[in-house]
């Protein structure tokens, strides 16, 4: 099985760069390599780290081949991961090196653990003239932790002598590195709960799956039914077998509360992998995974590309969550690719959700996935009662957003010592600001988007590109004073109304821009749990995972918000989000109540939420998609053409339109201006390929793009299975 390459011979080395293919290198005599090994190779005037990918392709004359400089003392990239990288690359039409880059996003982890010294910048530096190479080394150290000489040279793209020269010149100095911290072993039998009969049945099935080959299981249960406890049992069984377990969570669901529960169950915290880790933490976690010392890992979608040598189980919690779709760089869906990695590793994958995605539900109906059902909440907690408030007959006063019914319910709830959560998925004060004098609307200079006023910060922001300016006093166009009017509500505006109506109530806003970071978020969660707050107003970041015993009323300010827009999944997503928000109410002994403010109480999504008939809703949605040949019954792929020069973008889009594939089972729509026709200063046009399920779209896309020559400055992004149509 093991592919070994004993020098002298030729191998292909895949570099973590968007190159069309792997490059051939010479394995010098005396070096013995295997597929997956990390090696240092020359590339132009630099040295880079790559992966031994296979036998040489003999595309270069032997005498022009460059030799591999060294093999790194790191465990090889596991073969199932290599195959996953190839699979993802082929499916998403990305060069394999671009996908490999996601698996090597921590070059710092690659140096051998042996050096116990690293270099850092000296506080008091000698004044000398700096060469470009020396400047690069300093820039690397300036923006990160101390690094060993070899690592520093690699990262700065310089030779080791440059680093040593800087040390001699007194610009950098050596420091001792701390010893590697050990990852404590989670104990599968540390503290197992008594499971209910339903839970035990599901857990037993998952334990069995852990001993078998590839399988996909949907763990389907209402919020609070114990899905987490049940998949913990599958993790425990994986650990007993001496294998590693990976849990994927949407980034914002990875909370101290979740980590605390893991620790309660297994005695130690799992290894973490997410965007908040420092470079050092990433290096430590990556190496611990690669060496098999980290047995349980919880992470956001990129954890899928970690080099587990003995992966035995993948859990994708909240599998329906749209944030599993990575929208830039390599565009992929982490849930779908988790299934791919599990298949290539011959291990089980568990998808958990209270509101499974339509894709998963259809796979269950087709018997491709198994389903385990947890029908009731743990401890007999009742599901919340969900009611609609018809805003046509019970409207709030002008320029207000809380209807009389919702106001009464808030007063009653707070009055009886319980807590309220108001949900509005809109940050800031108002989504649109316009001038009453001339009608001018404040718009982002770089995007097709309105600027959102953030009154607490005194700024106006673009939520798409981050453009940010002081909130103007006067209209920027007609200069009229005091003429700017806020249109519509954001959470800050609802907070203002709450403060006016309930001056005694202790309230807070929970939105990504109003809380300073994970620690502040945890503190806010603690304040709610300890009843230091009566009322919380928040966006979807508070929809997830939290468990507040005293929270008995959830008010949804605008239940219709996600329904417009014509997105393929608008109804499904709105249902999932509102269901999840509703699940925050009444998680303990006290009954919960949910009030949905809506102008369309008869809309199928609202009706399904009121009746609680999720499966009926999914059946209707699924029939509609089937009728129109939409995913998962058909295939979609989007091309997004963008660039700073709008005429060039238009020309490329038109050429793509003319070159579009046609024929049996394939249709192409567009080009059309994207809904965000201007984003971060780039002009954008979209084309959409729709194909029958039995059509392989990748070769079609490949051919199609091959017919076009891209001028400099115009980019075509390919999004296979698009989730965003903006
Ligand atoms: P879900 O993941 O389905 O939302 P959880 O696993 O978070 O459900 O369970 C909800 C709450 O009930 C948690 O506080 C959990 O610890 C508790 N719980 C669930 N099952 C049990 C059990 N068998 N024994 C003790 N507590 C349980
Ligand atoms: Zn913008």
């Amino acid at each position: 099985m093991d592919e070994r390459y004993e020098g002298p011979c030729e191998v292909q080395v895949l570099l973590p760069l968007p190159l069309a293919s792997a490059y051939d290198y010479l394995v010098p005599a005396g070096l013995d390599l295997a597929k997956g090994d990390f090696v240092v190779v020359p590339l132009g005037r630099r040295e880079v780290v790559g992966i031994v990918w296979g036998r040489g392709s003999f595309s270069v004359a032997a005498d022009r081949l460059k030799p591999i400089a060294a093999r790194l003392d790191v465990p090889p990239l596991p073969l199932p991961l290599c195959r996953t990288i190839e699979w993802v690359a082929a499916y998403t039409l990305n060069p394999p090196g671009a996908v490999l880059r996601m698996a090597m996003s921590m070059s710092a982890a690659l140096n051998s653990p042996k050096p116990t010294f690293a270099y850092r910048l000296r506080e008091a530096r000698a004044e000398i003239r700096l060469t470009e190479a020396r400047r690069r080394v300093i820039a690397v150290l300036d923006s990160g932790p101390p690094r060993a000489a070899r690592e520093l040279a690699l990262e700065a793209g310089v030779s080791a002598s440059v680093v040593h020269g800087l040390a001699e010149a007194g610009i950098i100095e050596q420091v001792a590195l701390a010893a590697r911290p050990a990852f404590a072993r989670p104990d599968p039998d540390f503290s197992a709960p008594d499971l209910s009969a339903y839970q035990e049945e599901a857990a037993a099935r998952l334990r069995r799956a852990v001993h078998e080959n590839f399988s996909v299981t949907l763990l389907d249960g209402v919020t609070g039914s114990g899905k987490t406890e049940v998949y913990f049992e599958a993790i425990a069984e994986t650990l007993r077998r001496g294998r590693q377990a990976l849990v994927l969570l949407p980034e914002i669901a990875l909370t101290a509360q979740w980590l605390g529960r893991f620790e309660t169950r297994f005695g130690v915290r799992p290894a973490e992998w997410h965007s908040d880790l420092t470079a050092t933490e990433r290096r430590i976690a990556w190496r611990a995974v690669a060496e098999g010392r980290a047995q349980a890992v919880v992470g956001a979608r990129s954890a899928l590309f970690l080099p587990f040598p003995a992966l035995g189980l993948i859990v994708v919690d909240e599998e329906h969550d749209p944030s599993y779709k990575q929208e830039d760089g390599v565009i992929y869906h982490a849930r779908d690719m988790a299934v791919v990695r599990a298949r290539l590793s011959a291990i089980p994958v568990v998808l958990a959700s209270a509101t499974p995605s339509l894709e998963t539900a259809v796979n269950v109906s087709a018997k491709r996935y198994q389903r385990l059902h947890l029908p009731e909440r743990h401890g007999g907690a009742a599901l919340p009662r969900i009611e609609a408030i018809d805003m046509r007959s019970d409207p709030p006063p002008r320029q207000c957003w809380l209807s009389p019914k919702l106001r009464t319910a808030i007063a009653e709830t707070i009055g009886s010592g319980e807590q309220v959560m108001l949900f509005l998925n809109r940050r800031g004060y108002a989504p649109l600001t316009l001038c009453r004098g001339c009608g001018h609307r404040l718009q982002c200079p770089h995007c097709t988007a309105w600027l959102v006023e953030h009154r607490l910060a005194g700024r106006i922001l673009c939520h798409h590109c981050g453009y940010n300016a002081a909130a103007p006093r006067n209209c920027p166009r007609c200069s009229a004073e005091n003429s700017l009017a806020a249109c519509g509500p954001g959470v800050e505006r609802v907070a203002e109304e709450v403060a006016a109506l309930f001056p005694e109530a202790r309230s807070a806003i929970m939105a990504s821009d109003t809380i300073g970071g994970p620690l502040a978020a945890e503190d806010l969660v603690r304040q709610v749990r300890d009843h230091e707050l009566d009322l919380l107003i928040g966006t979807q970041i508070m929809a997830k995972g939290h468990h507040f015993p005293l929270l008995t009323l959830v008010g949804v300010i605008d239940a219709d918000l996600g329904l417009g827009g014509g997105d393929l999944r608008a109804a499904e997503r709105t249902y999932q989000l509102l269901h999840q928000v509703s699940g925050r109410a009444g998680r303990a002994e006290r009954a919960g109540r949910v009030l949905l403010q809506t102008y369309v109480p008869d809309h199928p999504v609202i009706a399904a939420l009121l009746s609680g008939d999720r499966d009926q809703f999914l059946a209707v949605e699924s029939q509609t998609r089937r009728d129109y040949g939409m995913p998962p019954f058909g295939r979609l792929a989007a091309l997004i053409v963008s660039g700073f020069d709008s005429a060039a973008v238009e020309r490329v889009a038109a050429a793509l339109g003319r070159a579009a594939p046609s024929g049996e089972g394939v249709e192409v729509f567009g080009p059309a201006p994207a809904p965000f026709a201007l984003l971060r200063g780039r002009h954008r046009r979209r084309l959409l390929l729709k194909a029958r399920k039995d059509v392989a779209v990748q070769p079609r896309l490949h051919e199609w793009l091959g017919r076009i020559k891209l001028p400099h400055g115009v980019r075509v992004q390919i999004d296979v299975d698009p989730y965003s149509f903006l």
Side-chain angles (χ1 to χ4, degrees):
M1 281 291 284
D2 239 27
E3 297 168 46
R4 300 211 67 89
Y5 308 101
E6 224 172 293
C9 67
E10 287 184 25
V11 288
Q12 284 196 307
V13 174
L14 186 64
L15 304 175
L17 299 166
L19 307 166
S21 66
Y23 284 1
D24 278 359
Y25 284 93
L26 186 72
V27 184
L31 196 59
D32 179 12
L33 296 173
K35 172 148 184 173
D37 276 346
F38 285 79
V39 288
V40 180
V41 296
L43 180 73
R45 300 205 327 271
R46 299 186 288 158
E47 283 201 326
V48 291
V49 174
I51 305 291
V52 174
W53 210 248
R55 196 162 295 287
S57 66
F58 300 96
S59 54
V60 179
D63 56 341
R64 290 185 44 218
L65 274 186
K66 294 201 177 140
I68 287 174
R71 193 184 82 82
L72 289 182
D73 187 14
V74 183
L77 212 61
L79 292 188
L81 177 55
C82 294
R83 287 194 208 109
T84 304
I85 288 168
E86 276 169 348
W87 203 99
V88 172
Y91 190 80
T92 61
L93 287 137
N94 273 286
V99 182
L100 176 64
R101 189 158 52 181
M102 300 195 293
M104 289 176 55
S105 57
M106 41 5 66
S107 56
L110 295 175
N111 70 312
S112 116
K114 270 179 235 121
T116 43
F117 289 100
Y119 283 102
R120 71 170 175 213
L121 290 175
R122 279 180 95 111
E123 296 272 301
R125 268 174 276 183
E127 293 275 334
I128 58 162
R129 266 197 57 239
L130 291 175
T131 59
E132 175 55 30
R134 286 183 164 190
R135 233 192 295 277
R136 283 211 299 273
V137 174
I138 291 171
V140 167
L141 285 179
D142 214 22
S143 61
R147 287 172 177 74
R150 149 144 239 140
E151 192 183 322
L152 190 53
L154 265 176
E155 225 166 302
V158 303
S159 70
S161 63
V162 175
V163 174
H164 294 132
L166 276 170
E168 267 162 36
I171 308 289
I172 61 177
E173 63 186 354
Q174 279 197 332
V175 285
L177 283 179
R180 280 183 298 160
F183 274 80
R185 294 185 85 84
D187 176 359
D189 302 305
F190 184 75
S191 141
D194 288 325
L195 298 180
S196 71
Y198 284 119
Q199 291 174 341
E200 180 48 42
E201 192 185 320
R205 291 268 296 272
L206 291 183
R207 278 188 219 109
R208 233 175 299 138
V210 165
H211 289 271
E212 286 157 12
N213 271 336
F214 171 64
S215 63
V216 189
T217 307
L218 168 65
L219 185 56
D220 176 2
V222 293
T223 10
S225 58
K227 295 186 293 298
T228 313
E229 299 295 342
V230 169
Y231 73 64
F232 277 175
E233 293 310 298
I235 294 174
E237 192 67 5
T238 308
L239 297 172
R240 284 186 202 107
R241 294 196 65 198
R243 302 268 202 111
Q244 294 169 294
L246 165 65
V247 180
L248 293 184
L249 286 175
E251 185 110 18
I252 56 175
L254 211 178
T255 57
Q257 219 169 15
W258 192 97
L259 295 168
R261 285 184 63 182
F262 187 96
E263 189 171 0
T264 306
R265 173 65 184 78
F266 295 104
V268 298
R269 290 208 160 201
E272 293 172 49
W273 186 263
H274 49 78
S275 57
D276 281 339
L277 295 187
T278 63
T280 311
E281 288 168 329
R282 289 174 89 78
R283 175 178 54 203
I284 291 170
W286 193 91
R287 267 208 101 99
V289 170
E291 290 167 4
R293 287 180 289 116
Q295 273 126 356
V297 178
V298 57
R301 59 193 176 213
S302 59
L304 195 57
F305 294 97
L306 284 172
F308 298 93
L311 192 59
L313 172 73
I314 305 177
V315 175
V316 185
D317 200 353
E318 312 283 8
E319 68 88 25
H320 62 276
D321 196 288
S323 71
Y324 280 123
K325 184 73 193 283
Q326 161 131 334
E327 297 286 3
D328 35 50
V330 176
I331 300 180
Y332 69 97
H333 199 299
R335 181 238 299 139
D336 298 345
M337 296 311 128
V339 172
V340 169
R341 182 154 190 195
R343 183 159 51 74
L344 296 173
S345 309
I347 59 168
V349 55
V350 175
L351 312 178
S353 176
T355 51
S357 63
L358 192 67
E359 280 76 6
T360 296
V362 167
N363 278 321
V364 168
S365 312
K367 303 263 190 301
R368 282 188 289 271
Y369 295 179
Q370 309 172 42
R371 170 175 181 255
L372 297 173
H373 188 211
L374 300 176
E376 51 189 34
R377 280 185 153 185
H378 174 72
L383 282 168
R385 196 154 39 98
I386 304 184
E387 300 159 46
I389 295 177
D390 187 340
M391 299 290 272
R392 294 168 306 186
S393 53
D394 190 28
R398 253 182 66 79
Q399 296 297 307
C400 289
W401 320 100
L402 306 181
S403 64
K405 261 198 201 122
L406 183 54
R407 292 173 177 201
T408 309
I410 295 171
E412 283 170 6
T413 307
I414 296 179
S416 54
E418 295 171 353
Q419 291 168 311
V420 177
M421 182 181 272
L422 296 178
F423 175 77
L424 177 62
N425 206 13
R426 249 200 211 136
R427 293 181 285 136
Y429 185 83
L432 168 66
T433 307
L434 62 74
C435 171
R436 274 186 296 251
C438 71
H440 177 66
R441 298 165 172 215
L442 298 187
Q443 186 175 356
C444 177
H446 314 299
C447 304
T448 317
W450 307 129
L451 290 171
V452 177
E453 182 187 359
H454 286 245
R455 199 164 279 189
L456 295 176
R459 315 287 298 174
I460 43 173
L461 311 185
C462 172
H463 285 180
H464 301 281
C465 71
Y467 172 86
N468 176 337
R473 269 298 173 82
N474 307 334
C475 172
R477 190 163 76 184
C478 72
S479 306
E481 285 175 36
N482 292 321
S483 72
L484 292 175
C487 298
V491 283
E492 291 180 10
R493 200 168 192 183
V494 172
E496 189 180 81
E497 187 173 337
V498 163
L501 288 170
F502 309 101
E504 252 85 89
R506 300 163 298 172
S507 68
I509 296 177
M510 190 165 181
S512 53
D513 61 301
T514 59
I515 45 180
L519 284 179
E522 287 316 325
D523 191 55
L524 197 53
V525 167
R526 183 200 55 76
Q527 288 180 45
V528 181
R529 228 180 14 237
D530 296 350
H531 204 185
E532 289 171 20
L533 288 172
D534 303 303
L535 194 146
L536 195 58
I537 303 148
T539 61
Q540 62 176 357
I541 70 160
M542 72 175 190
K544 315 253 153 147
H546 304 296
H547 180 58
F548 302 126
L550 277 179
L551 183 84
T552 56
L553 175 66
V554 168
V556 175
I557 303 299
D558 184 353
D560 312 332
L561 189 57
L563 291 174
D567 185 319
L568 169 66
R569 295 181 180 81
E572 184 190 347
R573 276 190 193 163
T574 304
Y575 181 85
Q576 287 160 346
L577 185 56
L578 295 185
H579 181 95
Q580 194 154 30
V581 173
S582 303
R584 300 303 117 215
R587 301 251 299 177
E589 312 77 57
R590 296 163 197 250
R593 187 177 178 203
V594 180
L595 295 174
L596 305 176
Q597 297 198 133
T598 173
Y599 287 91
V600 285
D602 300 328
H603 191 285
V605 168
I606 308 292
L609 285 163
L610 298 181
S611 68
D613 197 345
R614 182 196 82 190
D615 293 338
Q616 170 65 18
F617 171 71
L618 282 176
V620 171
E621 262 303 287
S622 153
Q623 190 55 47
T624 315
R625 299 246 196 118
R626 193 190 297 269
D627 291 346
Y628 290 96
M630 283 298 192
F633 303 99
R635 297 180 187 277
L636 291 180
L639 299 187
I640 302 112
V641 186
S642 70
F644 292 104
D645 175 355
S646 89
V649 168
E650 211 153 315
R651 273 197 304 277
V652 170
L656 279 168
R658 286 192 299 273
S662 59
E664 186 65 7
V666 178
E667 271 175 286
V668 171
F669 304 96
F676 285 110
L678 187 63
L679 194 63
R680 297 182 195 93
R682 299 179 76 94
H683 296 270
R684 303 165 81 242
R685 293 277 182 283
R686 296 184 64 105
L687 295 104
L688 186 68
L689 178 139
K690 179 166 176 257
R692 256 188 355 226
K693 184 87 184 174
D694 58 346
V695 174
V697 299
Q698 282 78 8
R700 299 298 188 93
L701 289 168
H702 200 81
E703 257 172 59
W704 185 10
L705 290 163
R707 287 183 212 129
I708 299 294
K709 201 162 149 24
L710 277 188
H712 190 72
V714 176
R715 187 167 73 195
V716 178
Q717 265 184 304
I718 308 169
D719 185 355
V720 178
D721 307 331
Y723 275 61
S724 164
F725 296 85
L726 294 176

